[in-house]
Amino acid sequence: MIPLVASSGSDTMATTLDCTPGDTDYLKTVLLRLYARLGEGTLTINEGCDDGRLALRLSDGGVLSSSNEICRYLCAEGGRDDLCGGDPCRQALVDYWLGWEAGQLKSCVRSSLVSGRPSHDLLACLGRLEGHLNTGSGRSLVGDQPTLADIVVWSTLYVLLAPDAPDSFHGDYPRVCSWFISLAQLEEFTTSVWKASSDRGYDLFRTITLRLGGARNTPISAHPPPVKSAPVNKPVHKPDTPADSSADHVITAAECAEVKRVWSHGLNHAPRPVKRDHPILPLPGERNILITSALPYVNNVPHLGNIIGCVLSADVFARYCRLRNYNILYICGTDEYGTATETKALEEGISPQEICQKYHDIHVEIYKWFNIQFDHFGRTSTPQQTQIAQDIFWRLKERDFISEETVEQLQCQQCNMFLADRFVEGICPFCSYEDARGDQCDKCGKLINAIDLKSPRCKVCSRKPRVMTSDHLFLDLFKLEKSVDEWFQSSSKKGLWSVNAEQITRSWLRDGLKPRCITRDLKWGTPVPLQRYTDKVFYVWFDAPIGYLSITACYTDRWEEWWKSPENVQCYQFMAKDNVPFHTVVFPASLLGADDHFTLLNHISATEYLNYEDGKFSKSRGVGVFGTNAKDTGIPADIYRFYLLYVRPESQDSSFSWDDFVTKNNSELLNNLGNFVNRVLMFIKNNFGCTIPEMSLTDGDIEFVAMVTRELRGYLNCLENLKIRDGLRHILAISRHGNVMVQGAKPWVLVKGTPQDKARAGCVLGVCANVVCLLSVMLQPYMPQVSRRIQEQLQVSEGVNVLTDNLLPHIQPGHRIGTPEPLFTKIEDGVAQSLRERFAGKQGGVAATMTTNTVDLQKQLDDQAVLVRQLKSQGGVAKDKVDKEVKKLLELKSKLGVAPAGKDKKSKKGKK
């Protein structure tokens, strides 16, 4: 038993930590407990795992599976919130480093240790760390004393920077090394290494990290982590291996036999894409899936964090479902009622209806540019909203779930209006955070009545409001608590609920539900139909979720077939974590109380927050990339989609970083995925006249296809279970396997050999062309434009766009491909730096002008590079003409301040 402090005044909670000795994630928890001197209470340690699984099982049935979230929990329970930052500014910095470690550092540490040399991603991470330590005290990542950020990052880097680590990782990062060594000399850090490795030290950490990184000959346990059971009518693929290493075990004879069968006869039974006619309605015997993403507030121009938090994540899942021939409807729209709309209309001197139309159109254009494929994108300011919301209200009142109370609320005399919750700010009565809103504190997360704020101020004019009384209507959540709790227990058990959604809902229910006011003294909103209250409107968080129903009703008058058919429809909802309680408590309570056979939420995917660089997005300060200016950067929408999904904050906060954005574009897209697709198609064009050769598969080819099939099934498993970020990893793994296959076969050598050699080259390229075709389909949910371009170059029909459990040989011998073209272009460092400056709070100024010029230069550079490649590949072009164009290319590179030609040539040496 290892001691754990319980928070002051609380009962000790019996918890169990499942862990793997030698896992650096386990090292984090041991180090934290030693350094923080957590004592009192008990924590049971189960070191029986050998597959890298780390989980904290709580006494109330909850489970934490993220190492960083476990550390946060231990800090909170142990009364050591100071290690998580303390004040809001430091807390934000700690959150950033935790997100950076989980989203960027951990994966490249593992992959670099496996390869035996530092990867480009690792060097970028170490450079980022070096730069940060160079600007601060150098002793810790946040402030002057070690925090949870230091504990987490130090633990992950231990396998690379410990004295016993390979010398190849001890690079020129003096600040990082000094920081690491100074912490390693502390007794708590030294002791934790031995405790977390069962006294075996560095060697065990290295072995376990190699296993988790997918190294061969260090097999992980044959028993994978348990896959959460599927809801009714929801098949889940359960691969034989963990998602991050699905192709790193020996291919079995059974897998090879299946590949042979599918390759020979699979096309005979290949499904065709289902034609989707509108309006889409539930069908008997089909998987009827209703998808919603949180309704964006009409006045808020969405930033990249908003986009990944709801509409983009839902779009990926919706596109995936269509590729599986599921019968789905994806609904969203703008939330248009409330004080913010009235205030904005006053500012601009137009009516609320006009302001809504203006901003609704902006949302439509943003989502169109990002290739979000809604089945219907509507709005809440409609007659259907009024009708359905009022009907639900009447049903609640008839069943005695509506009460009336006289309440005190804040009124601004300067603005001459009652202040809605979000238009009051002040000091939180619970944690003393100075910028808490009138409905909820962003720091401690507790709900607040605006009247309880200390030192309240009007957000519009900053004047102190006065307290007035007003009669209001309340939804009696206390009476509905039992029904909500029973529904929650059933839905969260049968369905797919993200950990944060389950935890947030459980905490609300644990604290007990209380009546919540559902009316406001406003004019712009759904009118309350009850006598004495007709001058009021419904509160947005009673009214807005009903928008899902009314928007569907605007799409089809048969909307009830979706929303009043829980036996035939599965509802999936996507949002950021701040919207969770309104979707898992308030909205279900309204529908359960109305008792009209409504379809309730079955599955919920709630993201954590996406931060911007070292801080947060801010429209007022011009910090971060917003939907209205993303397209002005000259970077295609699919590149943004890729990166946002790559760093999707599924289990903890992550950050949008321009350095990492450029790195991922240039490494994963350009050098990995794009390189594989382009080299395969170019070889076919140049050596086989754009015609797919005959294919006679060898045992090696069959094993390669089996490996790709594993990755495909891992991908399907991830998407079925809403692990959207991890699904993308499987796509990139397939292209990496493809590059290894091509590099090993060396078709550029074989085509110059005997007829048998050339036939062998043709077989390799034909198999790889089919892998490219599969990748084009798997990419469609993530990068739809890139998917379309690949299929255009392959010259394949829409018939390939169905995802099955196997790689099907859609591209047969004799098929003619089109003209291959590069899918991606390199983003130069100069562009990244300019964009960072532009979105650092200087929009509209000199930096914006500099960025525009830089983006123009980048486009000229890309065009010139294409021209040079064409001239060199054509043959017979005069050397002086080629040299002239190359000189122009070098001049453009010089203007952008990128690597000189000599370095570029050196880095590409040996590539085919």
Side-chain angles (χ1 to χ4, degrees):
M1 306 292 280
I2 296 181
L4 166 70
V5 155
S7 57
S8 178
S10 66
D11 294 329
T12 300
M13 294 182 63
T15 55
T16 301
L17 184 68
D18 297 328
C19 55
T20 303
D23 178 14
T24 54
D25 278 347
Y26 177 39
L27 174 61
K28 297 175 188 176
T29 66
V30 175
L31 176 51
L32 171 64
R33 296 197 308 278
L34 288 174
Y35 183 78
R37 291 176 170 76
L38 301 180
E40 301 178 18
T42 57
L43 174 67
T44 301
I45 302 297
N46 170 28
E47 293 187 341
C49 307
D50 62 354
D51 55 3
R53 182 168 71 249
L54 184 75
L56 185 67
R57 291 185 278 119
L58 309 179
S59 61
D60 62 0
V63 178
L64 300 180
S65 56
S66 161
S67 60
N68 292 353
E69 287 305 312
I70 290 171
C71 289
R72 290 178 196 268
Y73 176 87
L74 295 176
C75 284
E77 288 297 304
R80 292 301 306 268
D81 287 338
D82 59 307
L83 288 177
C84 292
D87 63 75
C89 181
R90 285 164 54 89
Q91 183 178 355
L93 290 173
V94 171
D95 289 346
Y96 166 79
W97 287 110
L98 295 189
W100 177 81
E101 181 273 344
Q104 300 179 44
L105 180 65
K106 185 188 295 184
S107 62
C108 62
V109 165
R110 288 179 176 177
S111 61
S112 295
L113 193 66
V114 169
S115 68
R117 60 183 182 277
S119 67
H120 182 76
D121 285 355
L122 177 64
L123 295 178
C125 283
L126 293 175
R128 172 75 184 87
L129 198 58
E130 180 78 9
H132 175 75
L133 291 168
N134 196 42
T135 58
S137 67
R139 294 188 295 273
S140 62
L141 297 179
V142 180
D144 294 323
Q145 297 298 323
T147 64
L148 182 56
D150 298 273
I151 290 171
V152 164
V153 175
W154 189 93
S155 298
T156 298
L157 286 173
Y158 176 75
V159 291
L160 298 186
L161 299 183
D164 294 331
D167 291 338
S168 58
F169 297 107
H170 297 174
D172 187 22
Y173 299 100
R175 288 280 186 173
V176 174
C177 290
S178 175
W179 163 82
F180 182 88
I181 293 170
S182 66
L183 292 177
Q185 291 172 346
L186 298 177
E187 181 181 354
E188 297 91 341
F189 283 69
T190 303
T191 304
S192 66
V193 168
W194 295 103
K195 279 185 174 292
S197 63
S198 300
D199 292 328
R200 293 170 63 185
Y202 176 81
D203 287 343
L204 184 61
F205 282 108
R206 182 177 183 276
T207 299
I208 295 299
T209 304
L210 285 171
R211 288 179 180 176
L212 297 178
R216 297 182 183 276
N217 302 321
T218 53
I220 304 174
S221 167
H223 304 288
V227 179
K228 191 169 183 179
S229 59
V232 178
N233 296 326
K234 183 186 181 307
V236 173
H237 301 270
K238 297 184 179 181
D240 295 328
T241 53
D244 63 351
S245 58
S246 61
D248 289 314
H249 297 268
V250 176
I251 300 297
T252 66
E255 288 176 293
C256 292
E258 185 178 13
V259 167
K260 292 178 182 178
R261 178 185 61 79
V262 171
W263 195 268
S264 299
H265 307 292
L267 284 180
N268 298 337
H269 308 287
R272 301 284 299 173
V274 172
K275 184 180 180 182
R276 308 177 75 249
D277 295 319
H278 292 275
I280 300 165
L281 299 170
L283 298 172
E286 296 288 334
R287 280 193 66 187
N288 300 303
I289 295 177
L290 178 61
I291 301 173
T292 71
S293 54
L295 306 180
Y297 196 71
V298 70
N299 287 353
N300 293 337
V301 176
H303 56 64
L304 297 183
N306 301 137
I307 290 169
I308 186 57
C310 52
V311 296
L312 178 54
S313 295
D315 182 60
V316 171
F317 184 66
R319 287 176 179 271
Y320 164 77
C321 289
R322 295 183 190 113
L323 291 172
R324 296 287 277 173
N325 279 343
Y326 302 155
N327 187 46
I328 73 116
L329 180 68
Y330 177 20
I331 291 293
C332 190
T334 44
D335 172 16
E336 301 191 348
Y337 285 141
T339 306
T341 302
E342 285 189 7
T343 305
K344 191 70 174 177
L346 286 172
E347 289 177 4
E348 299 195 14
I350 56 180
S351 68
Q353 291 93 334
E354 290 173 315
I355 204 76
C356 286
Q357 186 61 55
K358 172 183 175 180
Y359 283 94
H360 176 83
D361 292 343
I362 290 174
H363 279 270
V364 169
E365 285 303 310
I366 289 171
Y367 303 139
K368 181 180 178 181
W369 187 79
F370 275 98
N371 299 305
I372 308 297
Q373 193 177 39
F374 305 107
D375 287 308
H376 181 70
F377 186 80
R379 58 203 314 170
T380 58
S381 58
T382 64
Q384 289 88 341
Q385 175 76 7
T386 300
Q387 178 184 346
I388 296 173
Q390 290 183 349
D391 178 66
I392 291 174
F393 166 76
W394 281 121
R395 294 184 67 88
L396 288 166
K397 189 165 191 337
E398 290 165 2
R399 288 159 179 76
D400 198 29
F401 293 123
I402 299 294
S403 59
E404 303 178 41
E405 291 185 31
T406 299
V407 300
E408 292 183 329
Q409 63 185 104
L410 299 175
Q411 183 188 55
C412 180
Q413 292 176 284
Q414 177 72 18
C415 299
N416 191 28
M417 65 177 183
F418 282 102
L419 297 178
D421 296 340
R422 286 184 174 243
F423 274 75
V424 185
E425 293 180 337
I427 300 173
C428 175
F430 300 102
C431 70
S432 298
Y433 178 52
E434 293 187 356
D435 292 315
R437 299 193 311 266
D439 59 345
Q440 191 173 15
C441 175
D442 283 336
K443 182 182 179 185
C444 69
K446 293 186 180 294
L447 292 181
I448 302 172
N449 288 318
I451 197 72
D452 295 330
L453 282 173
K454 300 176 183 177
S455 304
R457 59 186 182 274
C458 172
K459 190 175 179 180
V460 177
C461 68
S462 297
R463 299 285 183 91
K464 182 178 180 179
R466 64 177 181 175
V467 178
M468 300 288 289
T469 60
S470 181
D471 293 335
H472 282 281
L473 298 173
F474 282 70
L475 175 63
D476 198 339
L477 292 176
F478 176 76
K479 292 181 180 179
L480 290 161
E481 182 173 343
K482 182 178 179 182
S483 296
V484 173
D485 187 52
E486 289 175 351
W487 162 79
F488 164 68
Q489 298 299 339
S490 174
S491 180
S492 61
K493 182 178 180 180
K494 295 178 181 177
L496 298 166
W497 283 51
S498 56
V499 173
N500 55 2
E502 195 167 341
Q503 289 172 342
I504 291 168
T505 307
R506 197 180 300 279
S507 68
W508 268 56
L509 291 168
R510 183 184 62 232
D511 295 342
L513 301 184
K514 302 174 181 62
R516 293 289 294 176
C517 185
I518 61 169
T519 53
R520 287 294 184 270
D521 291 290
L522 300 172
K523 297 177 182 177
W524 180 244
T526 299
V528 178
L530 186 65
Q531 190 174 1
R532 289 183 52 243
Y533 293 91
T534 53
D535 60 337
K536 302 180 189 295
V537 299
F538 286 121
Y539 177 42
V540 64
W541 275 116
F542 171 78
D543 181 65
I546 297 172
Y548 297 126
L549 284 63
S550 70
I551 290 170
T552 311
C554 292
Y555 168 70
T556 173
D557 56 8
R558 297 169 64 181
W559 64 274
E560 291 180 337
E561 295 183 35
W562 283 107
W563 284 104
K564 294 185 180 181
S565 184
E567 303 87 357
N568 302 317
V569 173
Q570 292 277 301
C571 180
Y572 289 74
Q573 296 194 315
F574 293 80
M575 66 201 67
K577 65 180 178 182
D578 56 335
N579 284 333
V580 165
F582 307 105
H583 286 80
T584 63
V585 178
V586 179
F587 186 39
S590 301
L591 298 184
L592 288 166
D595 190 23
D596 201 15
H597 202 60
F598 283 108
T599 301
L600 298 175
L601 178 155
N602 302 102
H603 319 280
I604 177 172
S605 178
T607 62
E608 301 290 325
Y609 295 133
L610 179 74
N611 296 315
Y612 179 76
E613 295 286 355
D614 293 334
K616 295 184 178 182
F617 290 88
S618 172
K619 185 67 176 176
S620 61
R621 293 184 289 112
V623 176
V625 183
F626 286 74
T628 47
N629 46 38
K631 62 183 178 182
D632 297 332
T633 61
I635 298 170
D638 269 13
I639 308 301
Y640 279 106
R641 285 178 64 111
F642 166 82
Y643 183 69
L644 291 174
L645 293 161
Y646 194 97
V647 298
R648 183 175 186 257
E650 290 187 359
S651 57
Q652 60 187 13
D653 294 356
S654 61
S655 293
F656 180 97
S657 159
W658 281 113
D659 285 337
D660 191 50
F661 181 92
V662 170
T663 297
K664 294 299 184 291
N665 176 83
N666 295 346
S667 59
E668 293 290 8
L669 292 182
L670 181 63
N671 295 337
N672 176 13
L673 177 62
N675 181 52
F676 173 61
V677 173
N678 189 250
R679 74 195 304 198
V680 168
L681 300 189
M682 283 299 294
F683 276 133
I684 295 172
K685 171 182 177 289
N686 293 336
N687 297 284
F688 295 93
C690 289
T691 302
I692 300 298
E694 291 293 329
M695 290 173 277
S696 179
L697 273 61
T698 65
D699 290 344
D701 297 334
I702 291 169
E703 289 188 4
F704 168 63
V705 174
M707 189 180 294
V708 170
T709 302
R710 276 194 183 178
E711 296 291 355
L712 167 62
R713 292 180 181 178
Y715 166 94
L716 298 174
N717 181 63
C718 287
L719 271 293
E720 290 286 351
N721 288 283
L722 305 181
K723 301 298 183 184
I724 294 172
R725 181 187 62 201
D726 291 340
L728 189 56
R729 280 11 182 216
H730 288 285
I731 293 175
L732 298 172
I734 289 176
S735 59
R736 275 193 289 271
H737 294 317
N739 277 314
V740 171
M741 176 70 169
V742 173
Q743 198 67 27
K746 294 182 171 57
W748 57 91
V749 175
L750 293 173
V751 294
K752 300 175 183 177
T754 66
Q756 291 81 5
D757 289 338
K758 186 166 184 178
R760 175 64 192 143
C763 178
V764 170
L765 295 173
V767 171
C768 287
N770 277 284
V771 174
V772 169
C773 184
L774 173 66
L775 283 171
S776 76
V777 183
M778 295 173 70
L779 272 170
Q780 200 172 113
Y782 295 90
M783 306 179 77
Q785 288 182 328
V786 171
S787 169
R788 177 181 53 78
R789 289 179 61 198
I790 295 174
Q791 293 187 6
E792 287 174 352
Q793 294 180 35
L794 287 172
Q795 291 194 159
V796 292
S797 68
E798 283 292 321
V800 304
N801 288 316
V802 179
L803 279 170
T804 67
D805 292 358
N806 295 287
L807 188 163
L808 299 178
H810 285 290
I811 301 181
Q812 291 290 301
H815 174 85
R816 289 189 59 81
I817 66 170
T819 303
E821 293 179 352
L823 296 172
F824 309 106
T825 58
K826 183 179 180 182
I827 301 178
E828 304 293 353
D829 292 339
V831 173
Q833 179 59 30
S834 294
L835 290 171
R836 186 183 300 105
E837 292 173 1
R838 174 180 177 183
F839 296 111
K842 304 174 184 177
Q843 287 155 306
V846 175
T849 304
M850 289 172 60
T851 300
T852 301
N853 294 336
T854 307
V855 170
D856 289 341
L857 280 173
Q858 174 73 52
K859 186 177 186 306
Q860 294 177 40
L861 178 78
D862 294 340
D863 293 342
Q864 188 65 20
V866 171
L867 175 60
V868 169
R869 283 196 296 269
Q870 289 175 342
L871 290 175
K872 289 184 175 181
S873 64
Q874 287 173 2
V877 180
K879 184 177 182 302
D880 58 344
K881 183 176 181 181
V882 175
D883 291 343
K884 180 180 178 182
E885 299 303 330
V886 169
K887 183 179 180 182
K888 289 182 181 179
L889 178 64
L890 295 177
E891 289 173 351
L892 288 168
K893 285 190 173 188
S894 177
K895 289 180 180 179
L896 274 171
V898 300
K903 291 186 179 180
D904 277 349
K905 291 179 181 179
K906 182 178 180 181
S907 66
K908 296 179 181 179
K909 185 177 180 181
K911 286 192 176 182
K912 301 293 181 182

